[in-house]
Every structure is written in C-alpha cells, then in structure tokens.
C-alpha cells in the first residue's frame, strides 16, 4: 500500500492500528526474555513504515522526516518500543545525503524490501564517549580496501543488522588542523564481516535495547564502501545525529502521551476514601503539568523536523527537541508511576517497563550536559566549557 498520499493523521491511524495487533503481553514477554521483537519489526517493514524515508525510485515511500517522527511517536504512544528499529530511519540522514548513487542502488532497494536491515550506527567508543573527535578506531587504505581496527560500544541492534554505518579515523588526530577532520564513514556488511575481523558482544542492560560492544581486528572493507569523501565523515554523521535527535524526541513525546493517558485513566477509575483519586488536586496537578510540558516539547520537535526537511541548519533545534521531549517523557513517567502507587511497579500494568525505557533518553543519544554545553557555546556564545 502506498503511503505517499497519506497525511500525518492517516499515517498515525494506520501505525496505531498495526501496533494494536501486538498486545502489551507481547512487549512484556520480549522485555522479560530480553528478546528482539522480530515479529514487530517484520510487520513494520512489510507495511512500508521503516522505508518511509527511502525515495520512491529505490522502493521506499519518499516521505519527510516529519512523517517518520509521526510513525515513531505512534509506536511509543501505543505502549510499544520503537528503539528496536528506529535506526533504520535516522541513519538515512547520512545515507541519503552522502552515499554515492551506486551505494544507494546497491542497498536501498533491498532495505526497502526488508531483505537487508540497516540498524547499526557505530560511533561511540569506550574511551571517547560523547567526545567523538577522540575516537581511536582507525581505517588505513591498502590496495583497494581499508583495514579497520578498533572498538565500539553501545552499538545497538548490531546482532540484528545486516549493515552498519561505521565511523573511523583515516587521518590521525595529531595530523589534522581541526580535530573533527580526518574521520570517515564506511558501510560495513556485517554478516560477511563476522568472524573475519568483527566480533559482537551483547551488553545486558536495565532495558531490552539489544545493545552491544563491537571489536574490530584487521577488518577488510572494500574502498567502494567509503561514504562520500575521506576525512569528512564527522560532517556526514551529524546529519544522522540531527535526524536521530529529532526522531528520539518524537519517541519521547509518544512515551509521554502514553504515560499521561495511562495515568488519567487510572486516576478516573481508582477509588480511595469513596471517590476517584483523580478528584484530588495532588493527583490532578502533576498530570496537568506533565501534559503542558509534553505539548510544549512536541512543538519543538515539530519545528526541528520542519527545519530538517527544509534542508535548513537545525543543530540547536534538534538538540532542544530531544532534550525537552526527554524531560517531558521522564516527568510524565515519574508522574504515572506515582499515580499508580504500588501497582505501578507491577509488570502487568506496563508502567515500570515504559518507565525504565524512557529513562534512557536522559543520557542518550546525547547527555543532558552536552546539550546544555552546545547551546551555551554555539547559541548563547558563552565561553567553551569543555
């Protein structure tokens, strides 16, 4: 079914209908077992939602980032977890803008069909953290291919992805005039690389996020898998990172709206001392405050997506969108748990699961402190603090 003519309301309704076929017990089970939601990801792929950003000539729907944001928001709003597949959307910021035509023709049609998954984004390293310019993974060109060595961490969905976007240094940091120069992006075909220089090790965390650390030892990657120009990779991943922050912001808005709806329903139904607890201002006010924070954050997400779709610089807006939405979802989650009292800790209510999931976005994909530092320096022109 073509989705090109759908407006956002129609997209939201269709995604919500699909999500309704995966009851909350499905998500409890995948969380309990730390299992990847393969069936859910397959359903989204077959419906065309995960290829929404891929242009029509490559088999996708050719929609804008605002549509992708609406899709992910509805997934979260349904009580599901879009983190299992959201990278296939935000990596398009790098792929569509910087991959060669040959690379697009090779990979995008298969991604759109579901024959390949592009779910892994290898940037963060154990010693560098959010200081991307300090990464130690290196790529050295040698007779038609690159030899890559290094390590990545928090590379989510690596076990469930066929392709990874990998950032590595092609020029040592001490040899570049600007520390963000000298890094390059590569398309790594992971199934072929496993056991031939690539090792994936799962990391068990407090949420079911399918995250891993990756060890790279003399991995050979064909030179044609270099994305764009050598040494300009940092600029390329920024397009992916801005898209990521906007889309994560949309997910957080979905989480927040799930929490608010859940708390409101419970506050109307739960009776203590002979009346609904929602009749008490001590219960009403936190719900109302969470609602206000969510609606305000949603406007910033919408603005950031509009700027991104217009090709306008949106660094400040994408950072603010992610941070404000993450704070709103955490506020709503805390409120929802408090509204439910002891029942909020029971698995069957789903609050504790969503509470854990939404906490992640206070620290990822970029920490609160780094967002504030960025705005202070680049928007408010205060002295650099790091």
């Amino acid at each position: 079914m073509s989705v090109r003519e759908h407006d956002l309301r129609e997209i939201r309704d269709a995604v919500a209908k699909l999500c309704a076929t995966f009851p909350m017990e499905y998500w409890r089970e995948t969380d309990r077992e730390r299992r990847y939601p393969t069936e859910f990801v397959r359903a989204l792929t077959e419906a065309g939602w995960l290829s929404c950003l891929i242009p029509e000539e490559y088999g996708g729907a050719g929609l804008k980032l605002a549509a992708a944001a609406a899709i992910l928001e509805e997934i979260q709003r349904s009580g599901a977890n879009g983190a299992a597949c959201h990278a296939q959307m935000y990596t398009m910021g790098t792929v569509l803008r910087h991959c060669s035509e040959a690379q697009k023709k090779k990979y995008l049609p298969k991604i759109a069909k579901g024959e390949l998954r592009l779910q892994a984004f290898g940037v963060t390293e154990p010693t560098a953290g959010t200081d991307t310019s300090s990464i130690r993974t290196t790529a050295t060109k040698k007779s038609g291919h690159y030899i890559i060595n290094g390590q990545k961490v928090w590379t989510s969905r690596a076990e469930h992805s066929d392709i990874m976007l990998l950032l590595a240094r092609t020029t040592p940091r001490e040899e570049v005039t600007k520390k963000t120069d000298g890094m390059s992006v590569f398309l790594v075909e992971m199934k072929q690389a496993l056991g031939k220089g690539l090792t994936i090790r799962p990391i068990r965390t407090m949420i079911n996020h399918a995250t891993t650390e990756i060890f790279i030892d003399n991995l050979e990657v064909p030179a044609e898998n270099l994305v764009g120009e050598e040494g300009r990779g940092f600029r390329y991943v920024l397009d992916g990172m801005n898209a990521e922050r906007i889309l994560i912001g949309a997910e957080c808005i979905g989480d927040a709206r799930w929490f608010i709806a859940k708390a409101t329903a419970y506050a109307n139904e739960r009776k203590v001392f002979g009346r609904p607890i929602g009749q008490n201002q001590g219960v009403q006010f936190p719900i109302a405050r969470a609602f206000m924070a969510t609606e305000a954050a949603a406007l910033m997400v919408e603005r950031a997506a509009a700027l991104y779709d217009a090709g306008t610089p949106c660094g400040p807006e994408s950072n603010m969108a992610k941070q404000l939405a993450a704070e709103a979802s955490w506020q709503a989650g805390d409120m929802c748990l408090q509204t439910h009292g002891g029942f909020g800790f029971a698995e069957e209510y789903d609050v504790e699961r969503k509470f854990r999931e939404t906490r992640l976005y206070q620290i990822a994909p970029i920490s609160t402190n780094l967002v504030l530092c960025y705005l202070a320096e680049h928007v408010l022109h205060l002295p650099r603090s790091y």
Side-chain angles (χ1 to χ4, degrees):
M1 177 182 65
S2 173
V3 297
R4 187 168 179 80
E5 292 78 20
H6 287 193
D7 62 16
L8 293 185
R9 184 67 265 162
E10 291 173 321
I11 288 174
R12 290 178 184 277
D13 290 344
V15 172
K17 185 177 180 180
L18 184 152
C19 290
T21 65
F22 292 85
M24 289 301 96
E25 181 54 35
Y26 172 81
W27 294 102
R28 292 172 208 147
E29 288 178 0
T30 56
D31 179 67
R32 191 184 308 130
E33 299 168 6
R34 292 295 192 267
R35 177 167 58 86
Y36 188 75
T38 301
E39 304 84 1
F40 179 70
V41 175
R42 183 184 300 120
L44 286 173
T45 302
E46 291 175 353
W49 300 122
L50 292 190
S51 61
C52 69
L53 295 176
I54 296 176
E56 288 182 300
E57 59 263 36
Y58 305 111
L63 300 180
K64 299 289 189 179
L65 193 72
I71 291 167
L72 290 174
E73 181 189 327
E74 288 304 316
I75 290 172
Q76 301 302 113
R77 191 173 186 171
S78 76
N81 189 359
C85 50
H86 59 196
Q88 195 141 305
M89 294 186 180
Y90 65 69
T91 51
M92 288 299 138
T94 300
V95 172
L96 296 179
R97 294 186 176 187
H98 304 294
C99 277
S100 68
E101 185 61 27
Q103 289 168 337
K104 292 176 185 178
K105 287 181 178 179
K106 180 178 180 179
Y107 294 113
L108 290 181
K110 292 182 179 180
I111 293 171
K113 291 178 182 177
E115 296 174 5
L116 293 177
R117 285 180 184 164
L118 173 54
Q119 289 287 356
F121 203 19
V123 176
T124 307
E125 298 185 4
T127 58
T130 49
D131 182 7
T132 304
S133 65
S134 295
I135 64 170
R136 297 180 180 179
T137 298
T138 61
T140 304
K141 193 171 184 180
K142 183 179 180 181
S143 61
H145 57 263
Y146 285 84
I147 304 296
I148 303 180
N149 286 279
Q151 182 181 356
K152 298 295 180 179
V153 72
W154 311 126
T155 309
S156 300
R157 299 161 302 276
E159 294 180 290
H160 307 281
S161 184
D162 298 292
I163 311 167
M164 171 174 60
L165 278 179
L166 178 70
L167 183 68
R169 272 213 169 272
T170 42
T171 304
R173 180 170 172 170
E174 58 271 17
E175 295 180 15
V176 295
T177 55
K178 189 176 180 181
K179 64 182 182 180
T180 53
D181 289 340
M183 291 183 279
S184 303
V185 176
F186 299 88
L187 290 162
V188 177
E189 296 184 6
M190 301 185 73
K191 297 295 189 292
Q192 290 83 348
L194 278 174
K196 299 178 182 178
L198 181 69
T199 303
I200 302 173
R201 183 180 299 167
I203 300 175
R204 188 174 176 88
T205 63
M206 69 183 288
I207 58 174
N208 183 30
H209 205 69
T211 198
T212 71
E213 55 184 336
I214 293 176
F215 300 89
I216 308 168
D217 183 21
N218 290 325
L219 175 66
E220 292 189 10
V221 175
E224 60 263 28
N225 283 28
L226 171 71
V227 174
E229 297 179 34
E230 185 178 294
R232 296 178 61 84
F234 182 79
R235 295 169 181 81
Y236 300 160
V237 298
L238 282 182
D239 281 328
M241 288 178 175
N242 282 335
E244 178 185 37
R245 288 165 195 176
I246 294 167
L247 293 175
I248 292 296
E251 289 185 52
C252 288
I253 296 301
D255 277 343
R257 286 174 170 159
W258 184 89
F259 285 124
I260 291 167
K262 188 83 170 176
T264 300
Y266 187 78
N268 277 317
E269 296 166 1
R270 175 67 168 165
K271 292 185 178 180
V272 179
F273 299 117
R275 66 181 192 173
I277 62 171
Q279 192 171 341
N280 300 307
Q281 292 179 342
V283 175
Q284 288 181 355
F285 288 1
I287 299 175
R289 287 186 178 277
F291 175 76
M292 288 192 294
T294 299
E295 293 305 300
L299 292 175
M300 181 54 73
V301 172
E302 181 181 336
R303 173 171 171 75
L307 290 173
Y308 186 94
D309 285 335
T312 304
C314 61
E317 289 79 9
S318 63
N319 276 282
M320 287 188 289
K322 180 267 172 183
Q323 190 56 45
L324 291 172
E327 290 176 351
S329 68
W330 180 240
Q331 179 183 348
D334 187 58
M335 171 278 297
C336 187
L337 185 61
Q338 192 70 23
T339 301
H340 281 75
F343 288 109
F345 290 85
E347 181 187 62
E348 65 184 282
Y349 281 78
D350 300 297
V351 176
E352 61 85 25
R353 171 177 62 84
K354 295 291 286 182
F355 182 82
R356 286 183 283 113
E357 290 172 357
T358 208
R359 179 61 178 86
L360 170 65
Y361 299 120
Q362 292 290 302
I363 59 173
I366 186 173
S367 72
T368 299
N369 289 346
L370 263 293
V371 170
L372 297 175
C373 286
Y374 172 84
L375 294 172
E377 178 187 352
H378 296 283
V379 179
L380 300 174
H381 306 296
L382 292 169
R384 185 182 180 91
S385 63
Y386 61 95

